[in-house]
């Protein structure tokens, strides 16, 4: 058995006394070619060499003992290049599983070795270094994934607690401000306090919406009910309740149920309708029709519209086309980011088309629930 060790600076040679006739010739070739060569005459010695110093390749005659040795080496984390040296007759006379243990089987001849060994060694080393990189990358990916998972748990806990913890004190401050308002003389201070609580309220509302939309539990939803529910909710929270009367649902008759999270879909519809009412004065349409195995839902307004170079950015968190928008229209620039997140969790995409001065159309698709199996 011959063990090639290209990396050691001090050559260590163990003499093999195996029966293979070609052993001397091979060893001579390897030494002439500048390899550091160790030889071993049995499996015990060979194992000790490999365990003592990492080697790059092991060359062995095709015998049962070598097969057992290669099998052991294959269990290593980074086994060396394993090569059987054998003629065709020997290859044919042994079990295929033996030859399968080696990376290559070549004739025990200096000419063949010269042709193949350097290239095989080169490939093997490249392969090893690639494997090492993959292992390192996998470890780093696992670490990153653990971090992301932990962050997600933390984020969910924060979002849920914050909205819960903020709502009660906010309500108390709001009531106090409105009570004080009856006696206070400084109107400016009162307006300041009212605006501040309104802004806080918007943020808490958004966090609450985000919190309730983190867990998506899809179930069959009747769209007509979902639109009605969103409209009623909006009417409850909108300052100018009557504005919600501008909403015109135009849903195709006999629409099949869609698969969606009830709370999530309601949040999406409320946020889109909220914007449509806010940024327009005419009627706001909610359209739905079946297209193949999805239902396309459209919220359309005939309001101020959005310039084409802004259409991407409006889905970013805290983005508002007009920086004075918060003051003029209210809002905080997170509604569409939440819409995007919820629909992304439904594996669907929100699209927008808009013409400044003419209006905007937001649309998305939801899968139809297959009721064929239901009696
Ligand atoms: P906001 O709370 O400010 O409405 P959104 O994330 O919902 O936040 O929307 C981001 C911005 O996109 C809005 O501030 C507005 O500039 C623009 N926008 C959204 N919907 C419409 C719409 N229907 N018409 C005109 N502009 C819109």
């Amino acid at each position: 058995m011959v063990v090639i060790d290209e990396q050691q600076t001090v050559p260590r040679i163990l003499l093999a006394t195996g029966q293979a006739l070609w052993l001397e010739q091979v060893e001579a070739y390897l030494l002439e070619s500048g390899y550091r060569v160790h030889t071993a005459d049995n499996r015990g010695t060979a194992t000790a060499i490999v365990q003592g110093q990492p080697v790059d390749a092991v060359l062995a005659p095709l015998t049962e003992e070598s097969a057992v040795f290669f099998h052991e080496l294959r269990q290593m984390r980074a086994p060396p290049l394993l090569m059987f040296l054998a003629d065709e007759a020997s290859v044919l006379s042994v079990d295929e599983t033996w030859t399968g243990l080696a990376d290559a089987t070549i004739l025990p001849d200096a000419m063949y070795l010269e042709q193949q060994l350097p290239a095989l060694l080169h490939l093997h080393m490249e392969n090893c270094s690639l494997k090492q990189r993959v292992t390192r990358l996998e470890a780093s990916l696992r670490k990153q994934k653990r971090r992301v998972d932990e962050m997600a748990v933390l984020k969910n806990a924060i979002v849920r607690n914050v909205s819960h913890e903020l709502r009660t004190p906010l309500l108390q401050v709001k009531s106090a401000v409105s009570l004080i308002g009856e006696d206070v003389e400084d109107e400016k201070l009162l307006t300041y306090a009212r605006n501040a609580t309104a802004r806080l309220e918007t943020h808490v509302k958004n966090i609450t919406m985000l919190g309730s939309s983190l867990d998506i539990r899809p179930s069959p939803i009747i769209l007509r009910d979902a639109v009605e529910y969103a409209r009623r909710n909006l009417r409850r929270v909108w300052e100018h309740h009557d504005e919600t009367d501008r909403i015109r649902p135009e849903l195709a008759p006999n629409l099949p149920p869609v698969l969606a999270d009830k709370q999530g879909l309601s949040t999406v519809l409320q946020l889109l309708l909220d914007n449509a009412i806010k940024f327009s004065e005419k009627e706001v349409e909610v359209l739905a029709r079946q297209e193949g195995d999805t239902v396309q839902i459209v919220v359309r307004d005939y309001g101020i519209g959005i310039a084409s170079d802004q259409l991407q950015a409006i889905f970013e968190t805290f983005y508002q086309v007009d920086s004075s928008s918060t003051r003029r229209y209210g809002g905080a620039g997170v509604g569409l980011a939440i819409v995007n997140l919820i629909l992304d969790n439904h594996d669907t995409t929100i699209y927008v088309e808009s013409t400044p001065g003419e209006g905007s159309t937001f649309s998305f698709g939801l899968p139809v629930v297959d009721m064929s199996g239901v009696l």
Side-chain angles (χ1 to χ4, degrees):
M1 199 167 288
V2 180
V3 179
I4 299 175
D5 167 8
E6 275 201 321
Q7 284 171 344
Q8 299 306 307
T9 44
V10 183
R12 270 192 350 144
I13 300 170
L14 293 177
L15 269 184
T17 54
Q19 276 114 41
L21 297 170
W22 41 261
L23 196 76
E24 264 179 40
Q25 193 204 345
V26 169
E27 189 184 353
Y29 157 75
L30 293 171
L31 287 170
E32 261 168 41
S33 308
Y35 294 107
R36 322 273 184 230
V37 180
H38 311 272
T39 54
D41 60 355
N42 60 53
R43 188 148 56 91
T45 317
T47 305
I49 293 172
V50 174
Q51 283 175 349
Q53 286 179 328
V55 295
D56 297 307
V58 178
L59 274 59
L62 184 53
T63 62
E64 184 173 2
E65 193 186 21
S66 302
V68 173
F69 183 49
F70 278 16
H71 179 71
E72 282 169 6
L73 292 178
R74 281 262 166 252
Q75 315 309 313
M76 289 171 69
R77 202 163 49 84
L81 172 70
L82 303 179
M83 288 174 72
F84 282 130
L85 297 173
D87 54 30
E88 234 169 86
S90 323
V91 173
L92 290 175
S93 69
V94 298
D95 194 316
E96 257 178 44
T97 50
W98 287 20
T99 41
L101 290 164
D103 296 297
T105 301
I106 60 171
L107 283 172
D109 181 283
M111 191 184 81
Y112 284 104
L113 275 171
E114 195 169 355
Q115 272 175 4
Q116 301 193 25
L117 186 59
L120 284 170
L121 259 177
H122 180 73
L123 271 178
H124 178 73
M125 312 250 263
E126 295 240 298
N127 198 9
C128 286
S129 90
L130 268 177
K131 269 191 191 149
Q132 271 172 10
R133 278 179 60 194
V134 169
T135 311
R136 274 201 302 272
L137 277 174
E138 276 173 353
S140 137
L141 269 178
R142 271 199 300 276
K143 203 166 143 193
Q144 298 282 353
K145 187 179 174 305
R146 249 198 329 270
R147 264 208 202 136
V148 170
D149 289 347
E150 279 164 14
M151 295 284 283
V153 170
L154 198 66
K155 186 185 79 186
N156 292 4
I158 290 174
V159 166
R160 285 201 184 90
N161 285 339
V162 161
S163 69
H164 181 75
E165 297 297 330
L166 284 183
R167 246 177 304 165
T168 318
L170 180 63
L171 208 68
Q172 287 163 347
V173 173
K174 206 179 156 190
S175 321
V177 169
S178 99
L179 283 176
I180 293 168
E182 291 167 13
D183 311 320
V184 94
E185 278 165 22
D186 190 339
E187 268 298 319
K188 222 166 133 193
L189 213 58
L190 187 66
T191 311
Y192 183 73
R194 274 192 183 134
N195 287 348
T197 38
R199 270 211 307 281
L200 256 179
E201 209 170 15
T202 306
H203 284 299
V204 174
K205 191 184 81 189
N206 284 332
I207 296 172
T208 310
M209 280 187 169
L210 184 63
S212 61
S213 312
L214 287 172
D215 306 316
I216 299 294
R217 294 199 196 103
S219 62
I221 306 278
I222 309 287
L223 255 182
R224 200 167 294 279
D225 295 348
V227 172
E228 200 40 50
Y229 179 71
R231 187 157 70 149
R232 252 185 295 143
N233 265 352
L234 211 57
R235 189 176 174 83
R236 220 156 30 86
V237 295
W238 250 73
E239 269 172 69
H240 312 289
H241 314 275
D242 295 343
E243 296 250 37
T244 53
D245 291 345
R246 284 198 275 129
I247 300 173
R248 300 259 175 280
E250 286 175 28
L251 314 185
N254 304 325
L255 268 185
V258 290
L259 196 63
D261 177 72
K262 191 168 178 230
Q263 185 59 48
L265 178 60
S266 167
T267 302
V268 166
L269 290 170
Q270 277 179 66
L271 287 166
L272 292 177
L273 288 171
D274 183 283
N275 279 342
I277 300 176
K278 211 161 60 173
F279 295 108
S280 76
E281 286 171 356
K282 298 190 185 132
E283 49 183 49
V284 166
E285 295 166 358
V286 187
L287 317 166
R289 66 159 191 265
Q290 185 171 359
E291 281 177 19
D293 50 9
T294 61
V295 168
Q296 289 298 320
I297 300 148
V298 174
V299 175
R300 176 176 296 150
D301 69 68
Y302 299 92
I304 63 171
I306 306 158
S308 56
D309 60 345
Q310 306 285 330
L311 289 177
Q312 193 89 31
I314 54 171
F315 293 99
E316 288 166 17
T317 317
F318 297 124
Y319 188 89
Q320 295 184 307
V321 172
D322 176 358
S323 54
S324 64
S325 191
T326 302
R327 259 173 286 132
R328 206 153 12 123
Y329 299 105
V334 292
L336 287 180
I338 294 177
V339 167
N340 205 16
L341 184 81
I342 296 173
L343 291 181
D344 204 40
N345 282 342
H346 280 79
D347 290 326
T348 188
T349 311
I350 175 108
Y351 297 96
V352 56
E353 285 167 40
S354 189
T355 310
E358 290 185 16
S360 312
T361 303
F362 289 84
S363 59
F364 59 95
L366 286 173
V368 163
V369 178
D370 181 10
M371 304 294 277
S372 56
V374 182
L375 284 178

